[in-house]
Amino acid sequence: MDESVFLGRNISVAYRMANRFYDRALADWGIGCGQQFFLLRVYEHQGISMYDLARMGLYDKGTVTRAVQKLEELGYVRSEADAHDRRVRRLYATEGAEPVVREGYAARLRWNELLTQGMTPEEVEAAKGLIARIAENAILALEQEEKENHGI
């Protein structure tokens, strides 16, 4: 079988298992893998705009809007109009989000420990570098394809 199939399969498996892990870890808080990224980024970047949140994670506007709406409904995030541009919504984590955020960080740490189990520190660093390069290559490849297909 072609090696590229194995790489794509393994990336897909790891992604799906991470989603299941976060869904279980955060179920008691009413959120899962679909919201945890956004909640942690808002907590770390109080006042971030939805546009910047989307750019940070390479998400489309609809995905960000749905995740933020759910976090607002749960009382974990609040939004305010920007003082200089009323079209821009600034996002802030609420006090009620703090235990969820702590659980999110604990889950992330645990997941990383599980993923690197049995690896030496050097192997962990090598894996981080290789995975970062794979992600960057994926971004660049898609951007190049979009330029070619749209004549940009």
Side-chain angles (χ1 to χ4, degrees):
M1 188 174 266
D2 185 357
E3 285 300 311
S4 66
V5 172
F6 289 118
L7 182 60
R9 177 189 177 277
N10 290 334
I11 290 169
S12 177
V13 167
Y15 173 75
R16 287 181 283 120
M17 295 304 106
N19 287 351
R20 287 175 57 190
F21 177 84
Y22 286 112
D23 283 345
R24 290 176 183 165
L26 300 169
D28 289 346
W29 302 100
I31 69 168
C33 66
Q35 297 84 34
Q36 64 93 16
F37 169 86
F38 300 104
L39 180 58
L40 295 180
R41 295 301 85 68
V42 170
Y43 181 81
E44 294 165 354
H45 303 278
Q46 297 286 331
I48 191 170
S49 70
M50 289 179 66
Y51 172 78
D52 288 336
L53 189 58
R55 275 196 4 220
M56 186 177 284
L58 300 175
Y59 288 99
D60 62 85
K61 291 185 292 186
T63 299
V64 175
T65 299
R66 284 187 300 278
V68 168
Q69 283 175 342
K70 174 146 186 175
L71 293 169
E72 283 184 300
E73 288 169 10
L74 292 167
Y76 299 147
V77 169
R78 65 181 170 79
S79 66
E80 296 177 5
D82 184 272
H84 303 292
D85 186 345
R86 307 289 290 167
R87 296 170 298 176
V88 175
R89 303 297 297 171
R90 298 285 170 191
L91 304 172
Y92 301 89
T94 65
E95 270 187 50
E98 291 191 26
V100 187
V101 168
R102 281 194 301 276
E103 187 65 34
Y105 285 139
R108 187 169 63 184
L109 181 62
R110 177 75 177 127
W111 185 240
N112 283 329
E113 288 170 353
L114 291 168
L115 290 179
T116 58
Q117 187 174 1
M119 292 184 187
T120 66
E122 295 79 18
E123 289 172 326
V124 171
E125 287 305 310
K128 285 170 32 180
L130 291 170
I131 292 169
R133 188 191 292 161
I134 288 170
E136 185 62 30
N137 285 346
I139 293 165
L140 293 173
L142 197 57
E143 287 175 351
Q144 182 62 37
E145 183 179 289
E146 288 172 351
K147 283 180 185 176
E148 290 170 4
N149 289 338
H150 293 89
I152 298 173

